[in-house]
Amino acid sequence: MTLFQPVRGMHDWLPEEAERFTQIVERARRIACLYGFREIQTPLLEKVGVFSRPLGESSDVVGKEMYKFVDRGGEELALRPEGTAAVVRAFLSNHLTEALPFKGFYAGPMFRYERPQKGRYRQFHQMGLERLGDASPWEDAEGIALAARCLEALQIEATLQINSLGDAPSRSAYREALVAYFETHRSRLSALSQQRLDQNPLRVLDSKEPEDQEFLSHAPTLTVFLTPEARCFFETLCTALQTLGISYQIQEHLVRGLDYYTHTVFEFVPSSGEGGTILAGGRYDHLVELLGGPPIPGFGWAAGIERLLLATPIKEEPVRPVAMISVGPFEAVAYTSAQLLRAEGHMVEVFCGKDLGKLLKKADRARARYAFVMGAEEQREQAVLVRDLDARTQEHQPLAALQEIARRL
Ligand code: ATP
Ligand code: MG
């Protein structure tokens, strides 16, 4: 029989990694909580339209990467490729539009059919937040400050790049200028960019194809096409970031790959220049409407947890257990003593057998700090042998004092 392997691009998380994963999410969750965000969880499966409409049919995520299938009832479903549209869908389905602002934090798996490589998987994990009902650029600045704070807590050095996609009139003026520019170079663009030029010209700026790069760097920028309102929004954002002490670079060709963004877009990229974007987001003032709701503005970001794991130097040491060792038929006292120690908050592993040497080896392998040994002699004396496995010292203590000893450890 052949053994099953996990699906390509999907991974098992063994304890060490899984624990680091949880610690990272926990740190971010605590910070998000300080800013008034509360946790929200949505299903992994959604109707395809939840993503295809707001992200755009021509986006990579919907067009090339989304896992879709028809279920047994004939419904077209997608494994969620991102969190934002799903959270907005939940916000609308649960009739939360009257209680604004809505501020949700989430963490969980996302799915994209991409070519797996370091930092890029088919099942990956994001943590992120969405804030619905706030129209001020100060809220964007605060959301970005919160992201910066999370990265700081993880000791990740990253550069913040920001840009403005303006409002709808800014973008349509820009789109025209961009099409005019790229049309003059059409034949020399990559096939993908030629196709994007027809479907969604802004996305040509997202191209990673080498042959496109020289044309990208000379492309017109959106800044000149911003309406006075959009310009004012962006200037206030910059002022707000400065006020909050967040340094940034304006990256005029930053467009992000999804259709739903307006005004603010931003990315944190590793300062080392290695590995892709760690955390990205922006404002989306029309997404709620695109999903059938009233006009409610929104802002959010998401970070790839695998990329955070690659970038953070933080490694929390796992807790070391106490080994409860029974040498001979003393399971009863060993297992009950273990319960007693756990009630005192100690992590306890029980090892039973006949050979003390072998049992102590097991305790070492478990990285135990102390061993509590119960054998024939201890049973006779109603005692326990307490062994300090680091200092290599040991002493007998009365069994009745077990709880007391545990409190002192
Ligand atoms: P990229 O340009 O790297 O493909 P993206 O623009 O598709 O990223 P977003 O949709 O903005 O990514 O998702 C937010 C974050 O999620 C990214 O910045 C990245 O950290 C992470 N991410 C996206 N796709 C993957 C993936 N396939 N595997 C691991 N992490 C991912
Ligand atoms: Mg991508």
Side-chain angles (χ1 to χ4, degrees):
M1 274 253 285
T2 50
L3 291 177
F4 287 112
Q5 293 300 320
V7 174
R8 187 167 137 80
M10 308 201 177
H11 293 275
D12 302 311
W13 292 72
L14 300 180
E16 201 176 311
E17 269 185 308
E19 284 162 10
R20 287 185 79 207
F21 175 100
T22 309
Q23 286 157 0
I24 283 184
V25 175
E26 248 339 283
R27 280 179 190 231
R29 199 199 313 276
R30 279 201 297 270
I31 294 169
C33 182
L34 298 178
Y35 287 73
F37 285 81
R38 295 185 62 195
E39 186 156 352
I40 177 161
Q41 296 186 8
T42 65
L44 300 191
L45 290 176
E46 294 280 356
K47 293 181 182 153
V48 163
V50 168
F51 304 108
S52 57
R53 213 176 335 147
L55 277 66
E57 293 286 353
S58 70
S59 65
D60 281 354
V61 175
V62 172
K64 291 195 261 171
E65 300 168 0
M66 197 153 73
Y67 277 88
K68 312 190 264 196
F69 65 98
V70 178
D71 79 357
R72 289 168 191 266
E75 189 113 61
E76 250 210 294
L77 300 181
L79 274 167
R80 64 178 190 192
E82 59 120 52
T84 306
V87 169
V88 172
R89 193 277 305 142
F91 166 77
L92 291 172
S93 333
N94 292 284
H95 315 290
L96 304 177
T97 53
E98 297 303 316
L100 298 177
F102 169 85
K103 291 154 89 174
F105 172 91
Y106 62 86
M110 306 292 163
F111 302 84
R112 295 185 192 177
Y113 196 81
E114 300 196 68
R115 199 169 66 77
Q117 52 196 287
K118 193 173 176 194
R120 190 175 295 285
Y121 312 99
R122 289 184 175 176
Q123 176 174 333
F124 64 103
H125 298 76
Q126 281 183 343
M127 63 183 191
L129 47 87
E130 313 298 340
R131 172 174 201 153
L132 298 162
D134 288 312
S136 159
W138 279 91
E139 306 295 352
D140 297 16
E142 190 179 61
I144 294 174
L146 163 47
R149 181 115 185 247
C150 289
L151 296 177
E152 203 180 282
L154 298 170
Q155 294 171 26
I156 293 173
E157 306 248 346
T159 307
L160 167 62
Q161 302 185 334
I162 63 169
N163 193 23
S164 171
L165 295 184
D167 43 20
S170 319
R171 270 201 308 283
S172 59
Y174 179 50
R175 195 172 297 120
E176 261 176 48
L178 209 55
V179 171
Y181 167 78
F182 281 126
E183 281 297 348
T184 60
H185 304 288
R186 180 182 270 274
S187 60
R188 291 170 62 203
L189 291 175
S190 66
L192 182 63
S193 286
Q194 293 191 24
Q195 191 192 330
R196 282 173 168 171
L197 186 52
D198 298 325
Q199 290 173 342
N200 192 338
L202 251 69
R203 203 156 279 136
V204 177
L205 296 173
D206 251 352
S207 167
K208 307 272 188 305
E209 311 293 319
E211 65 263 46
D212 294 335
Q213 298 311 311
E214 61 164 304
F215 303 112
L216 297 189
S217 52
H218 296 110
T221 60
L222 209 155
T223 328
V224 258
F225 299 93
L226 290 180
T227 58
E229 298 76 29
R231 185 179 303 281
C232 174
F233 190 100
F234 191 52
E235 282 166 2
T236 310
L237 170 73
C238 293
T239 309
L241 286 172
Q242 286 159 23
T243 310
L244 295 177
I246 309 290
S247 42
Y248 59 87
Q249 290 172 0
I250 296 178
Q251 222 283 47
E252 290 181 324
H253 285 135
L254 179 64
V255 291
R256 312 275 311 117
L258 311 174
D259 277 357
Y260 57 58
Y261 286 113
T262 47
H263 293 289
T264 314
V265 285
F266 68 96
E267 292 189 349
F268 281 89
V269 293
S271 302
S272 62
E274 280 167 46
T277 302
I278 296 178
L279 184 155
R283 171 164 285 278
Y284 46 82
D285 285 346
H286 305 298
L287 176 54
V288 180
E289 283 169 277
L290 274 172
L291 284 170
I296 291 176
F299 169 91
W301 55 252
I305 301 179
E306 284 81 357
R307 297 199 191 167
L308 292 171
L309 268 168
L310 285 170
T312 178
I314 291 179
K315 263 205 174 96
E316 287 177 43
E317 285 299 313
V319 177
R320 296 177 65 183
V322 169
M324 192 62 72
I325 294 178
S326 152
V327 196
F330 307 113
E331 288 91 346
V333 63
Y335 282 101
T336 45
S337 304
Q339 294 287 65
L340 211 77
L341 259 68
R342 290 184 188 121
E344 291 299 325
H346 290 286
M347 172 184 174
V348 185
E349 299 252 33
V350 183
F351 301 107
C352 300
K354 295 198 176 69
D355 181 333
L356 179 61
K358 277 191 189 156
L359 292 168
L360 283 172
K361 267 206 191 103
K362 282 192 185 172
D364 264 339
R365 226 173 291 139
R367 305 186 64 255
R369 175 76 173 80
Y370 295 97
F372 283 37
V373 183
M374 316 210 163
E377 185 192 337
E378 285 75 23
Q379 182 71 358
R380 253 193 329 272
E381 311 278 327
Q382 281 301 292
V384 55
L385 180 69
V386 180
R387 205 172 149 106
D388 182 327
L389 296 173
D390 285 358
R392 305 207 163 266
T393 56
Q394 59 182 30
E395 57 179 349
H396 275 104
Q397 299 276 358
L399 190 57
L402 200 65
Q403 210 159 11
E404 196 45 49
I405 303 165
R407 282 190 189 141
R408 273 190 275 123
L409 288 185

